[in-house]
């Protein structure tokens, strides 16, 4: 399987290189859908220039990257294009191997369930064969690399690509059962933007599952492992934060990076829900709604973990989707990451209800974003409400997509337990509803 | 949201009505005083010391009391005479040796493009010390409002200017007193001030009241502390730029309400002397109008044994005479200002009018009437120009300048000071020290991004745009003529503003055009709608996930028909088992 993957990599790198050399690169680097105040390349360059001038990059309101990014690009600023292409390649390869390992796990669990005869007979249709699952890792890598969102994000040199690479490495190390690396990469990605801290729960659940420790608060080994993981995670986070302090010699970066992410002072339009909401918010309620919106991102962790404690990889997908939709400055790069997981759940297609509508809406909105932006800012014939409406629609479509996959997943699990063709008491065909 | 603008508008309204009341009152007092005959345009000596006072009625405006004149009456006759015979009065006031001195002058320069540039300068020198412990309470020529401002806020230098219009350097040459469009205020505080920002805030509010301008909009978001330019123009050895504050309001509009308090600061007000010409209906009907107040400590003599405070009030105006429908270039004081000069200000030690005749040495381009025999030459902005002088008090002589060889001096290397802005806290400040190579073009470009603000942070007219203030270029230009570095020597006012530190170059300050930037605006009618719609989307997400998390799949039992359901309800009430 290495050969097709290499081909896909070469094609992806070629596409990106062509776009880098064309005149579209500057145009794409300024699109608000692709870059946000947190990860724009122009701001990285500005921060490095301020550092050369002797002024702290965090003294103004332009630079909101972490000090480790300064450190990285201090050496790599001339090779930026290669760095971002390499980050995309690393993400794709990491996802490839992670999904491959996960598929092996799924097949093994299925085999045990079949042998233990826990599956009702008529749901054998839902069993997946290795043949069906053979091309899934390649599809995942292809979807990530050739997704227009990813390509745009890479050509714009948005540091979202680096964040995605770190999250992909975290997923790979979790699925490969390496708790220490998983904790380190999770600490790095939390350090970059705060929201991946919610990925702690699926990581812990997965590692417990692989070690055959039941998720039960009465078991001592559960608490012991939890403590170990928490210690590794917090330790690496502490080390990284102290390293950042010593890099520039001050704690300025904490309010500039994390204060900025949490308090949303910059209202540049993007594809998220925060900007217009806080542009039009009454001052009296601003803090209240800011807290509500930020809690909204973190708050689905516990319920989702309880519901999906046997399926931690699906939980990772759900968490990534929730973060990408509800974070304060989303970009299309974040969306590309969770969308690359969709081929893993391709077997759920028979239970998806809204997929046609959702995909049409997503395509239409992606096409309308630049059009309405141009009409608002350059032509002046539309106003901000047009762009805002498309933002709303785009987010509703994403929410429907995610909840549709969740529904399909739960339904398949239900069928695997109770059988595919269900009958009512009088023998006629039954319909399943959520009650 | 227009509350912020209502306060200065309300203040302006109150002050306008007060000004109107005062004007009517003074009109009554002057009309009741005795006026022997209209032909006499010479004010009498101080024989009528106990006579009328032209003091303003005791109207408390802005808690500063205007200056009181215990001098002669002021004769506001409407004689047509433009001037020329020097009157014989001297301005000795009742009392001891004069420690304060007032000079006024007007420079008129016809410009190449047919416009006329008129520059008024009024200078009051006062040998006193505001900073020592004894409170100064006897104000004569120096306005009390500004004196109290200086002593209360420990101001070392204050420069404030209000400008309407933009100076067209290509057509008009260089102005004597450059100023950016809008309002500009820069202040050097004494080094005894501990809380400079707090003092600055109070100072801007007090000046806002004195000049009837909305200087209260100056706050930390448009105040900077330049480190390399705007060095003190007076004497003093404090150069720590922590005591310097510079702010500009490019949006400020200048109108009669700003001119009237400015005129009140003059010793003679607008009753006598050159200030008689400053009538707002003509002054604001011009291409460029700028009024400024500059306060700084200066040396009295070349050894600098005593220092005195200098207050300069300048008014620059450029009249476009083509708009008045004149085919020929004909102008007179009456045509420009719709007033004539009758006399000098009795309190002035010198009162002169200079007409620039450098472009007209033989009298072929224009002719001055009435003719004058007084000529003077002065070096201004590195150029020697010839002026005809009309002395309204008595004749003075000017020393002429001699030209010397130029001496060039090497400059130090480049220096860049950049302070990035913080949203809603402070503005950008970029200062660069560059040496420009000769015969070249240097371009400085700054990339910027437009930001969307919160809907409450927009002004009531958001589609007008936001102003970005003028950039300032302060330069030392090599001079063709040797400059005199002795700043205390007697010189016309228009050439003695910027101190000369070296002989081979002169200092010039150029302001660029302000920028009007159109920012994207949110829809201001939508706050409630936006909150509802966005919360709906979040609720859609919450609702779907809540359903999937808390409910489980069950087989749906079909609903029985309505009659059966009602029957079942009744049966349950009776305690009888229900139907199938």
């Amino acid at each position: 399987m290495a050969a097709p993957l290499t081909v896909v990599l070469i094609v992806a790198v070629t596409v990106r290189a062509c776009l880098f050399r064309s005149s579209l690169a500057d145009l794409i680097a300024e699109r608000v859908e692709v870059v946000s105040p947190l990860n724009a390349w122009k701001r990285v360059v500005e921060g490095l220039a301020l550092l050369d001038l002797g002024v702290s990059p965090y003294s103004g309101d332009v630079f909101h990257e972490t000090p480790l990014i300064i450190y990285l690009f201090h050496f790599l600023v001339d090779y930026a294009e290669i760095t971002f292409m390499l980050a995309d390649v690393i993400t794709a390869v990491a996802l490839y191997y992670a999904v491959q390992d996960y598929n092996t796990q799924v097949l093994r669990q299925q085999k045990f369930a079949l042998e233990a005869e826990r599956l009702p007979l008529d749901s054998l249709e839902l069993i997946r064969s290795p043949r069906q699952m053979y091309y899934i890792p390649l599809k995942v890598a292809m979807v990530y690399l050739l997704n227009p969102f990813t390509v745009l994000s890479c050509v714009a040199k948005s540091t979202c690509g680096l964040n995605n690479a770190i999250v992909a490495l975290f997923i790979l190390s979790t699925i490969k059962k390496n708790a220490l690396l998983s904790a380190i990469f999770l600490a790095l990605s939390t350090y970059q933007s705060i929201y991946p801290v919610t990925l702690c729960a699926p990581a812990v659940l997965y590692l417990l599952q692989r070690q055959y420790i039941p998720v039960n608060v009465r078991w001592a080994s559960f608490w012991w492992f939890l403590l170990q993981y928490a210690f590794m995670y917090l330790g690496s986070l502490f080390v990284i934060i102290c390293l950042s302090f010593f890099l520039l010699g001050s704690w300025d970066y904490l309010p500039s990076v994390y204060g900025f992410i949490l308090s949303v002072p910059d209202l540049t339009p993007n594809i998220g829900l925060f900007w217009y909401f806080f542009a039009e918010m009454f001052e009296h309620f601003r803090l209240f709604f800011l807290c509500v919106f930020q809690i909204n991102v973190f708050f689905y962790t516990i319920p989702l973990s309880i519901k999906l404690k046997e399926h931690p990889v699906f939980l990772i997908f759900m968490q990534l989707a929730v973060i990408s939709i509800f974070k304060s400055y989303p970009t299309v790069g974040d969306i590309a990451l969770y969308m690359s997981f969709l081929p893993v759940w391709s077997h759920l297609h028979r239970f998806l209800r809204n997929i046609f509508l959702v995909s049409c809406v997503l395509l239409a909105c992606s096409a309308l974003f630049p059009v309405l932006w141009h009409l608002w800012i350059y032509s002046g014939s539309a106003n901000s409400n047009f762009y805002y409406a498309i933002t709303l629609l785009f987010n509703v479509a994403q929410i429907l997509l995610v909840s549709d996959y969740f529904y399909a997943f739960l339904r398949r699990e239900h069928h695997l337990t109770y059988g595919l063709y269900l009958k009512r008491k009088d023998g006629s065909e039954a319909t399943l509803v959520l009650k | 949201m227009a509350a912020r603008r209502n306060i200065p508008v309300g203040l302006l309204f109150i002050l306008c009505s007060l000004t109107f009341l005062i004007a009517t009152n003074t009109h009554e007092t002057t009309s009741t005083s005795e006026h022997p005959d209209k032909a006499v345009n010479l004010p009498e000596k101080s024989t009528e010391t106990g006579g009328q006072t032209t003091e303003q009625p005791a109207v408390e405006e802005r808690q500063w009391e205007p200056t009181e004149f215990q001098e002669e009456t002021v004769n506001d006759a409407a004689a047509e005479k433009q001037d020329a015979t020097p009157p014989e009065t001297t301005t000795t006031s009742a009392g001891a040796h004069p420690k304060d001195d007032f000079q006024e002058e007007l420079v008129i320069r016809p410009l190449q493009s047919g416009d006329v540039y008129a520059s008024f300068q009024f200078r009051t020198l006062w040998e006193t010390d505001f900073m020592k412990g004894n409170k100064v309470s006897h104000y004569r020529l120096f306005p009390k409002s500004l004196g109290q401002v200086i002593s209360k806020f420990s101001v070392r230098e204050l420069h404030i200017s209000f400008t309407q219009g933009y100076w067209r350097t290509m057509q008009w040459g260089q102005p004597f007193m450059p100023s950016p469009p809008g309002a500009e205020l820069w202040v050097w505080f004494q080094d005894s001030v501990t809380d400079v920002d707090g003092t600055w805030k109070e100072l801007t509010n007090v000046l806002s009241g004195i000049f009837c301008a909305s200087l209260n909009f100056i706050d930390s978001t448009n105040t900077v502390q330049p480190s390399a330019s705007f060095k003190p123009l007076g004497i003093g050895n404090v150069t720590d730029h922590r005591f310097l504050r510079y702010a500009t309001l490019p949006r400020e509009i200048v109108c009669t309400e700003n001119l009237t308090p400015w005129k009140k600061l003059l010793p003679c007000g607008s009753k006598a002397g050159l200030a008689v010409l400053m009538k707002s209906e003509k002054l604001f009907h011009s291409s460029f109008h700028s009024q400024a107040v500059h306060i700084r400590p200066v040396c009295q003599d070349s050894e600098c044994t005593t220092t005195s405070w200098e207050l300069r009030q300048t008014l620059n105006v450029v009249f476009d005479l083509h708009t008045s429908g004149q085919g020929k270039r004909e102008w007179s004081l009456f045509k420009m200002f719709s007033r004539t000069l009758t006399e000098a200000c009795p309190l002035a030690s010198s009162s002169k009018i200079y007409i620039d005749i450098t472009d007209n040495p033989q009298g072929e381009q224009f002719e001055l009437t009435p003719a004058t025999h007084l000529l003077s030459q002065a070096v201004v902005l590195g150029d020697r120009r010839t002026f005809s002088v009309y002395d309204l008090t008595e004749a003075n002589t000017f020393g002429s300048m001699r030209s010397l060889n130029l001496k060039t001096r090497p400059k130090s290397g480049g220096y860049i000071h950049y302070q990035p802005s913080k949203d809603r806290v402070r503005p950008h400040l970029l200062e660069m020290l560059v040496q420009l190579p000769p015969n070249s073009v240097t371009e400085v470009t700054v990339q910027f991004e437009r930001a969307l603000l919160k809907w409450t942070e927009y002004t009531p007219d958001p589609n007008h745009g936001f102003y970005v203030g003028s950039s300032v270029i302060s330069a030392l230009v090599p001079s063709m003529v040797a400059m005199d570095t002795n700043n205390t020597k007697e010189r016309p006012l228009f050439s003695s503003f910027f101190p000369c530190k070296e002989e081979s170059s002169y200092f010039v300050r150029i302001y660029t055009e302000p920028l009007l930037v159109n920012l994207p605006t949110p829809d201001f009618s939508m706050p409630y709608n936006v909150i509802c719609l966005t919360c709906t989307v979040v609720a859609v997400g919450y609702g779907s996930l809540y359903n999937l998390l808390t409910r489980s799949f069950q087989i749906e039992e079909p609903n029985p028909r309505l009659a059966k359901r009602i029957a079942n309800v009744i049966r349950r009430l009776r305690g009888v088992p229900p139907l199938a």
Side-chain angles (χ1 to χ4, degrees):
Chain A
M1 276 291 280
L5 179 64
T6 321
V7 168
V8 168
L9 288 177
I10 291 174
V11 168
V13 168
T14 314
V15 166
R16 284 162 174 75
C18 293
L19 281 174
F20 270 128
R21 289 284 160 255
S22 75
S23 61
L24 287 177
D26 287 328
L27 207 68
I28 294 172
E30 289 178 5
R31 300 282 340 153
V32 286
E33 297 92 7
V34 184
V35 297
S36 73
L38 276 179
N39 50 28
W41 176 248
K42 203 160 52 160
R43 292 172 183 248
V44 174
V45 171
E46 172 91 9
L48 290 173
L50 283 175
L51 198 62
D52 286 337
L53 211 55
V55 180
S56 159
Y58 299 109
S59 60
D61 248 345
V62 168
F63 187 71
H64 300 287
E65 299 275 2
T66 54
L68 284 187
I69 295 278
I70 300 181
Y71 195 63
L72 179 76
F73 282 110
H74 191 65
F75 302 110
L76 290 179
V77 68
D78 298 322
Y79 309 108
E81 298 169 358
I82 298 187
T83 312
F84 286 106
M85 284 200 279
L86 198 64
D88 271 0
V89 163
I90 289 176
T91 313
V93 169
L95 286 177
Y96 177 88
Y97 285 112
V99 171
Q100 212 176 40
D101 205 311
Y102 172 65
N103 281 346
T104 324
Q105 294 302 311
V106 163
L107 282 174
R108 203 161 50 149
Q109 276 177 343
Q110 207 172 243
K111 197 168 91 154
F112 289 155
L114 269 176
E115 285 171 3
E117 287 184 4
R118 274 186 300 179
L119 297 176
L121 282 172
D122 57 355
S123 62
L124 289 176
E125 273 181 48
L126 297 176
I127 301 293
R128 304 162 73 186
S129 70
R131 207 178 204 198
Q132 287 169 350
M133 295 168 64
Y134 185 68
Y135 281 110
I136 288 182
L138 185 65
K139 282 189 205 167
V140 167
M142 207 158 65
V143 166
Y144 182 76
L145 281 174
L146 300 178
N147 192 347
F149 290 157
T150 325
V151 172
L152 285 176
S153 186
C154 180
V155 172
K157 291 193 278 215
S158 150
T159 55
C160 187
L162 297 177
N163 295 349
N164 285 354
I166 298 176
V167 172
L169 286 171
F170 153 74
I171 296 175
L172 177 65
S173 49
T174 309
I175 292 187
K176 293 280 189 193
K177 245 171 68 161
N178 192 334
L180 178 65
L181 272 182
S182 155
I184 291 176
F185 281 120
L186 187 64
L188 259 179
S189 74
T190 308
Y191 166 77
Q192 281 288 108
S193 67
I194 308 176
Y195 299 107
V197 72
T198 56
L199 293 173
C200 252
V204 165
L205 286 173
Y206 186 82
L207 291 166
L208 285 173
Q209 198 184 57
R210 288 296 292 274
Q211 293 174 353
Y212 303 108
I213 301 174
V215 183
N216 196 336
V217 293
R218 278 181 285 224
W219 281 69
S221 48
F222 166 74
W223 288 111
W224 177 236
F225 183 76
L226 195 61
L227 202 65
Q228 277 179 322
Y229 193 82
F231 179 73
M232 285 191 286
Y233 172 67
L234 290 172
S236 19
L237 195 61
F238 179 72
V239 165
I240 295 170
I241 289 192
C242 288
L243 262 178
S244 314
F245 170 71
F246 287 120
L247 193 71
L248 283 177
S250 72
W251 294 108
D252 280 352
Y253 73 96
L254 287 177
S256 261
V257 180
Y258 304 117
F260 183 80
I261 295 177
L262 290 176
S263 69
V264 191
D266 187 326
L267 298 169
T268 314
N270 48 51
I271 56 176
L273 297 166
F274 276 64
W275 62 279
Y276 207 52
F277 189 70
F278 289 104
E280 299 269 11
M281 175 52 62
F282 301 106
E283 277 304 308
H284 186 69
F285 294 107
R286 194 186 145 78
L287 186 61
F288 169 70
F289 278 105
L290 195 62
C291 294
V292 165
F293 270 51
Q294 295 288 5
I295 288 173
N296 187 42
V297 185
F298 296 101
F299 144 91
Y300 293 108
T301 312
I302 309 261
L304 278 175
S305 315
I306 295 174
K307 185 83 179 186
L308 290 171
K309 59 178 182 265
E310 271 115 42
H311 312 283
V313 178
F314 191 76
L315 181 59
I316 290 182
F317 165 71
M318 288 294 295
Q319 286 288 26
L320 282 176
V322 162
I323 292 172
S324 305
I325 299 171
F326 292 117
K327 72 193 284 197
S328 45
Y329 292 101
T331 59
V332 292
D334 302 308
I335 297 174
L337 184 63
Y338 81 80
M339 277 198 180
S340 67
F341 272 95
L342 294 181
V344 184
W345 326 113
S346 53
H347 59 279
L348 299 172
H349 69 273
R350 59 189 296 172
F351 300 116
L352 292 171
R353 293 179 300 174
N354 302 326
I355 200 66
F356 176 66
L357 178 71
V358 163
S359 48
C360 286
V361 171
L362 282 176
L363 278 173
C365 288
S366 312
L368 278 174
F369 270 123
V371 170
L372 290 173
W373 177 261
H374 180 88
L375 278 180
W376 173 26
I377 301 285
Y378 296 109
S379 302
S381 52
N383 65 7
S384 50
N385 293 334
F386 292 70
Y387 194 78
Y388 167 66
I390 297 299
T391 304
L392 285 182
L393 209 55
F394 192 70
N395 284 304
V396 165
Q398 283 186 75
I399 292 171
L400 281 180
L401 175 73
V402 168
S403 60
D404 211 14
Y405 267 91
F406 195 22
Y407 170 86
F409 189 84
L410 290 177
R411 182 146 169 190
R412 181 172 173 271
E413 294 303 310
H414 185 268
H415 281 306
L416 281 179
T417 321
Y418 294 105
L420 188 55
Y421 298 105
L422 300 165
K423 304 250 182 308
R424 268 188 250 146
K425 290 191 204 130
D426 53 5
S428 60
E429 200 172 321
T431 47
L432 269 187
V433 290
L434 280 173
K435 274 219 211 310
Chain B
M1 291 311 121
R4 257 187 8 160
R5 294 298 288 193
N6 281 341
I7 298 163
V9 170
L11 197 61
L12 280 174
F13 181 73
I14 293 170
L15 289 166
C16 283
S17 50
L18 284 173
T19 318
F20 179 64
L21 278 171
I22 293 161
T24 50
N25 277 335
T26 51
H27 184 69
E28 285 162 14
T29 51
T30 50
S31 59
T32 52
S33 67
E34 62 258 324
H35 290 304
D37 55 274
K38 300 221 166 165
V40 175
N41 56 1
L42 310 174
E44 296 296 281
K45 269 209 183 174
S46 51
T47 50
E48 316 174 80
T49 42
Q52 285 85 4
T53 57
T54 48
E55 73 172 60
Q56 317 291 357
V59 177
E60 294 302 308
E61 41 173 358
R62 309 181 300 274
Q63 96 243 26
W64 308 113
E65 285 177 46
T67 54
E68 298 188 21
F69 303 109
Q70 282 110 13
E71 288 278 14
E72 312 81 17
T73 66
V74 184
N75 200 329
D76 196 13
E80 279 290 324
K81 272 197 70 157
Q82 188 152 330
D83 156 331
T85 53
E88 295 130 5
T89 52
T90 52
T91 56
T92 53
S93 69
H97 58 282
K99 290 197 323 186
D100 49 4
D101 175 64
F102 175 67
Q103 288 177 298
E104 56 179 16
E105 75 177 29
L106 163 65
V107 180
I108 298 184
R109 185 204 282 180
L111 299 169
Q112 287 293 93
S113 56
D115 306 307
V116 179
Y117 173 33
S119 171
F120 293 83
Q121 287 215 24
F122 302 92
R123 181 173 85 162
T124 308
L125 270 179
W126 196 15
E127 212 178 288
T128 182
D129 200 345
F130 288 108
M131 294 304 125
K132 290 289 185 334
N134 51 331
K135 282 175 75 72
V136 180
S137 54
H138 180 67
Y139 288 86
R140 191 172 151 265
L141 296 176
F142 202 94
K144 185 172 175 183
S145 50
L146 291 180
Q148 288 180 331
V149 163
I150 296 174
S151 49
K152 180 163 193 252
F153 296 111
S154 304
V155 165
R156 187 156 74 96
E157 275 195 28
L158 185 140
H159 302 271
I160 184 167
S161 75
F162 299 95
T163 310
Q164 182 82 2
Y166 178 63
W167 183 267
R168 316 234 165 266
T169 311
M170 299 297 283
Q171 294 151 21
W172 298 342
Q174 282 289 337
F176 295 124
M177 312 286 306
S179 52
E184 185 203 39
L185 169 67
W186 55 284
V187 174
W188 275 93
F189 289 96
Q190 303 276 357
D191 49 358
S192 58
V193 174
T194 45
D195 176 18
V196 184
D197 288 315
T199 317
W200 169 251
K201 184 103 192 111
E202 285 177 34
L203 178 66
T204 51
N205 280 304
V206 163
L207 288 175
S208 173
I210 294 179
F211 291 104
C212 295
S214 33
L215 298 173
N216 51 320
F217 284 130
I218 291 178
D219 54 12
S220 65
T221 60
N222 49 22
T223 306
V224 292
Q225 305 173 38
S227 64
S229 64
F230 290 99
K231 293 294 179 203
L233 292 173
I235 55 164
N237 49 6
V238 174
T239 48
D240 186 354
H241 67 100
R242 284 182 299 127
F243 295 99
L244 167 66
R245 292 290 184 273
Y246 174 92
T248 175
L249 292 172
R251 228 190 132 98
E252 189 69 18
I253 312 233
V254 186
C255 52
T256 317
E257 279 92 13
N258 305 114
L259 184 64
T260 313
W262 186 91
K263 282 196 290 189
K264 278 199 196 323
L265 297 172
L266 296 169
C268 287
S270 53
K271 301 285 180 300
L274 294 170
V276 158
L277 296 175
M278 298 194 291
K279 288 299 163 193
S280 42
E281 64 264 11
K282 277 297 194 178
L283 279 183
F284 289 101
H285 195 65
S286 57
S287 311
F288 175 83
H289 168 95
S290 168
Q291 65 199 55
V293 171
H294 301 275
I295 303 176
R296 58 181 178 170
V298 293
C299 287
Q300 278 287 69
D301 46 20
S302 52
E303 290 91 28
C304 216
T305 46
T306 47
T307 63
S308 50
W309 283 89
E310 178 196 75
L311 163 71
R312 280 205 198 208
Q313 287 178 256
T314 66
L315 190 128
N316 292 305
V317 62
V318 174
F319 291 105
D320 181 9
L321 292 175
H322 297 300
T323 58
S324 51
Q326 306 288 331
K328 300 181 284 186
R329 289 184 198 175
E330 210 176 79
W331 53 267
S332 68
L333 279 184
F334 186 72
K335 277 209 187 88
M336 287 199 296
F337 300 105
S338 72
R339 288 288 184 284
T340 57
L341 278 176
T342 52
E343 47 163 4
C345 174
L347 301 167
S349 63
S350 108
S351 179
K352 291 189 169 57
I353 299 182
Y354 295 86
I355 317 283
D356 189 343
I357 57 168
T358 319
D359 298 324
N360 185 32
Q362 315 303 333
E364 66 267 341
Q365 282 204 13
F366 54 81
E367 215 178 292
L368 283 178
T369 46
T372 177
H373 59 281
L374 291 170
L375 278 183
S376 89
Q377 288 194 331
V379 178
V380 56
L381 295 171
D383 192 14
R384 186 184 315 166
R385 302 195 77 88
T386 316
F387 297 89
S388 289
V389 184
Y390 292 91
D391 190 345
L392 300 184
T393 58
E394 59 189 14
N396 261 341
T397 51
F398 284 88
S400 60
M401 301 295 162
R402 301 184 54 192
S403 62
L404 290 174
N405 288 326
L406 287 175
K407 273 187 267 187
T408 56
R409 205 167 302 184
K411 303 286 185 297
S412 55
Y415 159 84
I416 294 185
H417 171 230
Y418 177 61
Q419 189 190 55
S421 75
K422 264 196 134 43
D423 282 346
R424 306 175 182 100
V425 172
R426 57 168 198 248
H428 279 288
L429 173 65
L430 173 64
E431 288 184 276
M432 294 188 299
L433 221 62
V434 287
Q435 196 164 1
L436 297 176
N439 220 4
S440 62
V441 174
T442 307
E443 247 184 43
V444 176
T445 52
V446 175
Q447 240 190 357
F448 62 92
E449 261 183 17
R450 291 163 215 250
L452 194 72
L453 305 172
K454 300 185 210 171
W455 69 304
T456 50
E457 289 172 348
Y458 284 89
T459 53
D461 55 345
N463 292 307
H464 180 70
F466 284 79
Y467 282 97
V468 177
S470 311
S471 320
V472 184
I473 304 174
S474 313
L476 276 176
V477 181
S479 159
M480 306 284 285
V481 175
M483 316 287 291
D484 186 8
T485 52
N486 182 3
N487 289 320
T488 60
K489 202 164 152 190
E490 189 60 39
R491 270 200 266 177
L493 294 177
F494 60 83
S495 66
S496 67
F497 187 69
F498 289 108
C500 251
K501 298 225 170 50
E502 14 181 283
E503 286 187 355
S504 58
S505 51
Y506 62 92
F507 178 77
V508 72
R509 184 169 276 157
I510 306 175
Y511 291 94
T512 64
E513 251 180 67
L515 197 61
L516 186 60
V517 178
N518 224 335
L519 284 186
T521 56
D523 189 349
F524 297 103
S525 60
M526 291 276 285
Y528 183 68
N529 301 345
V530 166
I531 295 175
C532 285
L533 288 169
T534 310
C535 289
T536 305
V537 170
V538 174
V540 163
Y542 174 79
S544 328
L545 288 178
Y546 175 83
N547 269 345
L548 290 165
L549 287 169
T550 51
R551 298 186 186 188
S552 58
F553 288 99
Q554 290 170 20
I555 294 182
E556 182 195 15
E557 296 297 328
N559 266 337
R561 296 239 165 247
L562 185 62
K564 236 184 186 176
R565 274 161 65 187
I566 297 174
N568 277 338
V569 166
I570 298 171
R571 283 180 147 218
R572 209 169 344 130
L573 285 174
R574 283 170 55 198
V576 171
L579 295 171

